[in-house]
Amino acid sequence: MGKLTEIIHQESKYQQSRCNLLDYYSDSESVDYYYHSNINITRPFIKFSHYNTIMYTKYIFQKLTNFLISHPHLDHVSSLVINSAGFATNNPPKQIYGSYYTIDSLQNHYFNGIVWPNMPDFDIVNLNQRKFKQVFHVGNYKIKMFPLSHGELNLIEKKSRHKVKFKNGSTSIKADNDDREQGTPVAADSIPPRRHSSVTTIPAGINDDDYVKTKIYEGFQPNGSRHNSSASSIGGNLDEEAVKSHYLSSAFLISRNFKNTTNDADISYLLVFGDFESDSISHLDYNLRIWQEIAPLVNKGQMHGIILECSNSFEIDENKLYGHLTPRHVIHELQQLASECQRIKIDEENEESQALKGLNIIINHVKEPILSNYRQIKDPRKQILKELNKLNAQENMGIQFSVALSGTSIII
Ligand SMILES: Nc1ncnc2c1ncn2[C@@H]1O[C@@H]2COP(=O)(O)O[C@H]2[C@H]1O
């Protein structure tokens, strides 16, 4: 709510939209630079009186009745959870939609009465579990949810390691097979696993041999009872092993016929991805299946835009991706989409070499380079846009790239 208040206040008082993050870099550009020239940047709050900011925020929040949640990572649910304390109790509950994984986590790890009050019990929010690949309706919109991989689940295996006390009184950790340590062990007790990484790939500096795949979801059912679950029971014929060894995120294909006709050609589509990694990293085909589904819509010009992440502004070691994309991965994935579009083109004579020409791709979830080793810190949004446009030109793809800026509004 705080962010929306800031945005309304900024826009109504200063008559311009602004993204604070741009202020932190010496090389950042004005807002227009980050959006493709065909994108309509709008300022919905410009005519508001800034003295009524709180009232407008409250009003807009009342109007927000449905939430699609891609995955239950804290950075994706914290605002919803915290703001739920301010949802008016005399209003119908807010409807939250997500996969079994998302809904189960929201209930059991956030709205559990300990981390936060059990808002579903108080009818302040309503948690709606939906299956992947099954269409559901939210207001005037049709939604189809697809699974995504947001990294591989890993556990550092408890290696046979012991606390070793040396004659001189010092202690050390010694692995059974480690003969390098000097001294005679006088006490040895096993220690718990060093670290349990809830998600993703292996952190820097850790030996690959220390890892085994964690089967996090094995045996869990929505009611919390343990059970031998099968992947297909949670929707969409997911590969069972993949479900157990990869952190699942979701993409939402959102559609609506704004002309209210019965003609399918009048339906507009928007595809919104949660955090995800490239098929080339996961070795799954989750993304390919989405590209296959939307290729006909892209060919017919019904896909108004795709919102997807590019967390990393530079190419990094696979082990430090943590289930995200770099600019090269974005291009790789869009090349997969382009191939699908080409493959299904019926009219060979009219075959367009640039299958994605004019397609709007809006990049989000850019991470600040706070942990990077580079001394000179540059605006990561600018870096990403430059790199994407370079590759876009090299590959002659004709895509319209933009980078979403927090605090700005667009119409696509
Ligand atoms: N194994 C890990 N070790 C250290 N950091 C991690 C690990 N896995 C994930 N992360 C970080 O935790 C973050 C969770 O949110 P993100 O997926 O956006 O980005 C993730 C990484 O920055």
Side-chain angles (χ1 to χ4, degrees):
M1 222 176 273
K3 185 71 200 167
L4 183 60
T5 315
E6 261 174 43
I7 294 170
I8 297 174
H9 188 256
Q10 159 69 33
E11 210 169 279
S12 53
K13 185 162 184 191
Y14 301 103
Q15 302 290 292
Q16 58 174 2
S17 43
R18 180 156 165 253
C19 171
N20 290 347
L21 288 168
L22 299 181
D23 298 343
Y24 307 148
Y25 301 93
S26 60
D27 64 327
S28 59
E29 306 279 347
S30 66
V31 166
D32 293 357
Y33 174 91
Y34 298 85
Y35 290 103
H36 189 273
S37 53
N38 288 352
I39 293 274
N40 181 1
I41 304 176
T42 153
R43 289 173 295 177
F45 312 118
I46 203 158
K47 294 212 171 103
F48 288 19
S49 154
H50 66 269
Y51 292 115
N52 287 331
T53 299
I54 298 286
M55 194 196 76
Y56 292 130
T57 308
K58 239 180 108 169
Y59 179 72
I60 291 169
F61 254 82
Q62 259 174 33
K63 293 261 175 203
L64 292 177
T65 47
N66 298 296
F67 297 77
L68 303 177
I69 309 289
S70 63
H71 65 295
H73 265 169
L74 196 55
D75 55 330
H76 292 256
V77 298
S78 62
S79 304
L80 169 71
V81 172
I82 291 172
N83 284 325
S84 65
F87 293 162
T89 43
N90 56 350
N91 276 349
K94 304 283 187 198
Q95 302 297 328
I96 320 287
Y97 298 90
S99 70
Y100 156 64
Y101 307 100
T102 302
I103 296 302
D104 182 62
S105 296
L106 277 170
Q107 179 65 76
N108 293 321
H109 303 304
Y110 296 99
F111 294 125
N112 58 9
I114 298 168
V115 172
W116 206 249
N118 190 340
M119 298 306 188
D121 250 11
F122 304 132
D123 285 335
I124 290 173
V125 299
N126 196 10
L127 299 178
N128 301 283
Q129 181 192 318
R130 292 290 179 266
K131 289 190 171 181
F132 289 118
K133 299 178 185 174
Q134 288 188 4
V135 173
F136 58 96
H137 292 259
V138 173
N140 292 323
Y141 294 88
K142 257 193 205 173
I143 319 282
K144 199 167 180 181
M145 184 173 66
F146 297 89
L148 298 171
S149 168
H150 180 20
E152 202 168 348
L153 296 159
N154 285 292
L155 172 71
I156 299 181
E157 194 180 28
K158 180 182 170 185
K159 267 196 146 183
S160 184
R161 294 156 66 86
H162 306 283
K163 247 187 217 162
V164 176
K165 205 171 207 168
F166 297 104
K167 279 178 189 156
N168 65 6
S170 67
T171 55
S172 179
I173 306 289
K174 183 178 186 298
D176 275 353
N177 56 357
D178 189 348
D179 293 329
R180 286 166 302 173
E181 296 283 5
Q182 299 294 311
T184 311
V186 292
D189 38 88
S190 61
I191 53 163
R194 263 185 307 180
R195 195 158 157 202
H196 179 185
S197 85
S198 60
V199 215
T200 72
T201 47
I202 302 167
I206 303 286
N207 187 344
D208 294 22
D209 301 342
D210 285 352
Y211 275 82
V212 288
K213 280 178 189 164
T214 318
K215 305 209 167 186
I216 296 277
Y217 291 109
E218 191 164 48
F220 278 95
Q221 281 294 288
N223 60 11
S225 63
R226 292 186 79 80
H227 171 83
N228 280 335
S229 71
S230 83
S232 53
S233 72
I234 39 190
N237 298 322
L238 300 176
D239 174 77
E240 194 164 351
E241 279 310 304
V243 166
K244 288 174 189 165
S245 60
H246 287 77
Y247 186 98
L248 277 189
S249 175
S250 328
F252 298 98
L253 181 61
I254 304 169
S255 59
R256 181 166 174 184
N257 184 336
F258 287 95
K259 293 184 185 159
N260 280 327
T261 64
T262 51
N263 188 354
D264 280 355
D266 289 334
I267 302 176
S268 305
Y269 291 83
L270 184 68
L271 177 61
V272 185
F273 283 79
D275 295 2
F276 75 115
E277 65 184 346
S278 172
D279 283 350
S280 63
I281 300 290
S282 68
H283 304 295
L284 300 170
D285 61 357
Y286 287 168
N287 306 337
L288 178 65
R289 289 182 197 207
I290 299 177
W291 303 141
Q292 286 169 342
E293 175 109 9
I294 67 156
L297 306 173
V298 173
N299 282 351
K300 285 185 238 156
Q302 288 174 269
M303 184 57 65
H304 284 233
I306 302 177
I307 300 175
L308 53 81
E309 72 138 274
C310 185
S311 293
N312 304 286
S313 52
F314 44 87
E315 302 303 321
I316 49 171
D317 181 341
E318 259 185 38
N319 284 338
K320 292 182 206 151
L321 280 172
Y322 301 134
H324 291 290
L325 300 184
T326 68
R328 279 189 186 280
H329 292 136
V330 171
I331 295 292
H332 168 80
E333 289 302 327
L334 293 171
Q335 280 173 327
Q336 303 303 305
L337 171 60
S339 307
E340 286 306 313
C341 292
Q342 302 278 19
R343 194 172 61 77
I344 58 166
K345 280 237 163 93
I346 305 159
D347 186 356
E348 295 290 328
E349 278 173 29
N350 280 345
E351 198 178 310
E352 165 67 73
S353 63
Q354 289 182 304
L356 306 188
K357 189 174 178 185
L359 180 64
N360 277 315
I361 301 290
I362 318 281
I363 302 295
N364 69 1
H365 206 275
V366 176
K367 287 188 186 249
E368 307 312 317
I370 206 149
L371 298 175
S372 89
N373 291 329
Y374 294 108
R375 257 197 223 150
Q376 197 197 354
I377 302 282
K378 292 185 170 175
D379 174 7
R381 281 154 282 272
K382 187 174 171 183
Q383 299 283 107
I384 287 174
L385 194 55
K386 276 166 76 176
E387 185 63 16
L388 287 174
N389 278 330
K390 190 178 95 191
L391 298 169
N392 193 20
Q394 266 171 21
E395 304 293 329
N396 189 29
M397 297 180 85
I399 296 168
Q400 297 183 175
F401 281 111
S402 301
V403 177
L405 298 178
S406 166
T408 64
S409 312
I410 55 169
I411 298 174
I412 50 175

